[in-house]
Amino acid sequence: MKESLERPLTALTGAGISAESGVPTFRGQAGLWRDYSPHELATPDAFNRNPELVWAWYAWRRETIAGCRPNPAHRTLVDMEESLKNFTLITQNVDGLHQAAGSKRVIELHGSIWRLVCTGCRYVGDDKRVPLPDLPPRCQICGGVLRPDVIWFGESLRREVLDAAWRVAAQSKVMLVIGTSAVVEPAASLPLVAQRAGARLIEFNPDTTPMSRHADQVFREPAGKALPRWWAETRGCWAL
Ligand code: BJW
Ligand code: ZN
């Protein structure tokens, strides 16, 4: 009997899942934080001090991401969503590549680089233009400075987004932890929440992370290779 039929499967993704698409990760040898300081670019203070500098960095990243396409790991998660009754994708990524691949239900913990929010009137809207005509971009309603709708260090995640992710984690029976260094809180706690509630953890990451010692199974390979293979081998065990 397929005992796992109705068991909720959850995936938590990080920057590593987009690495094979050409999107730089944050940490590690080729990571963004090697050449750029998070304190100068990814905090509300940094933005208040120097919005031009922060926007130059985000404009460059938007341009880079715009030239990237989803890879087999993103597409495998689309197949999981389309095939399974009970699958949830939680991502820390702001690049939109899960949606570009075709994932419809994505919990975006850290927001989206393709959405802007006004620091004046709080207007929020999608803006996928690359390049943006003016930097920093301005709000059409109040003239205030727009910022990327992402979560910076020291900022709280949206309450409803975090609650949803926490709930899903606590109900998971298997959580796939894919391409994250698992050091940024509160995202890094989600696999442990799942495990404490009885879930099996499966990590897909070429490198060791603080999550590795908790994982029940580890694939030390690029996600674009290991995830499609894992899914091809196990999809028959899940309710389709
Ligand atoms: C591959 C691969 C391949 C390569 N296949 N894999 C509790 C304890 C300690 C600190 C804190 C805490 N609570 C809060 C904090 C502070 C802070 C924090 O966690 N700091 C730690 C770093 C120490 N957290 C926060 O500030 C958060 N807010 C918060 O908690 O609010 C409440 C609060 C506030 C203040 C004080 C206390 C509480 C907000 C965190 C926001 C993170 N923002 C960023 C930027 C988003 C916008 C943007 O993109 O511009 O989010 S930082 C950056 O890190 C980004 C990512 O989403 C996030 C996680 O990174 P990720 O995805 O794991 O990427 P990498 O690069 O780290 O790892 C890539 C991995 O892929 C590696 O392992 C590779 O090996 C692997 N890989 N190729 C598979 N082919
Ligand atoms: Zn405004």
Side-chain angles (χ1 to χ4, degrees):
M1 181 183 138
K2 292 179 177 175
E3 198 258 321
S4 57
L5 277 183
E6 301 296 330
R7 301 192 319 164
L9 175 63
T10 304
L12 171 68
T13 65
I17 196 169
S18 297
E20 290 159 82
S21 296
V23 182
T25 60
F26 293 91
R27 296 164 188 85
Q29 283 200 337
L32 292 167
W33 297 152
R34 212 193 62 147
D35 296 324
Y36 304 94
S37 153
H39 299 288
E40 281 165 35
L41 295 167
T43 66
D45 278 355
F47 188 74
N48 293 335
R49 264 197 317 269
N50 196 341
E52 288 80 13
L53 175 74
V54 174
W55 257 117
W57 189 61
Y58 276 94
W60 167 74
R61 285 179 59 204
R62 284 165 62 104
E63 209 171 309
T64 305
I65 295 166
C68 296
R69 300 287 165 262
N71 66 55
H74 295 105
R75 289 195 288 276
T76 298
L77 296 175
V78 178
D79 192 36
M80 290 180 190
E81 179 182 287
E82 291 175 351
S83 319
L84 297 176
K85 292 193 176 81
N86 213 333
F87 172 76
T88 307
L89 172 54
I90 304 172
T91 189
Q92 297 167 81
N93 298 347
V94 302
D95 59 27
L97 285 185
H98 285 305
Q99 291 86 343
S103 289
K104 299 272 187 297
R105 296 187 310 275
V106 186
I107 298 180
E108 288 182 318
L109 291 173
H110 295 162
S112 169
I113 203 166
W114 303 114
R115 215 167 39 234
L116 307 185
V117 55
C118 177
T119 54
C121 70
R122 309 314 297 174
Y123 161 83
V124 183
D126 288 344
D127 192 333
K128 296 194 169 148
R129 290 174 299 169
V130 171
L132 286 162
D134 299 302
L135 289 182
R138 294 267 170 186
C139 175
Q140 292 198 339
I141 299 165
C142 76
V145 174
L146 296 168
R147 58 165 275 184
D149 191 13
V150 299
I151 309 292
W152 285 323
F153 285 115
E155 292 185 314
S156 297
L157 279 66
R158 290 228 174 73
R159 169 53 53 196
E160 67 278 11
V161 172
L162 186 57
D163 284 352
W166 219 261
R167 221 172 17 249
V168 166
Q171 288 166 0
S172 305
K173 288 294 179 280
V174 176
M175 183 181 273
L176 312 176
V177 184
I178 308 164
T180 177
S181 57
V183 294
V184 173
E185 295 292 352
S189 290
L190 290 169
L192 302 179
V193 168
Q195 188 168 57
R196 257 178 247 128
R200 272 167 54 74
L201 299 183
I202 308 180
E203 183 178 60
F204 296 82
N205 196 317
D207 288 337
T208 309
T209 74
M211 199 49 58
S212 303
R213 67 190 175 91
H214 300 282
D216 298 285
Q217 201 174 359
V218 174
F219 293 93
R220 286 267 166 266
E221 290 171 276
K225 199 172 158 202
L227 191 65
R229 194 185 60 227
W230 178 83
W231 179 231
E233 285 167 4
T234 60
R235 81 196 304 276
C237 304
W238 298 85
L240 300 175

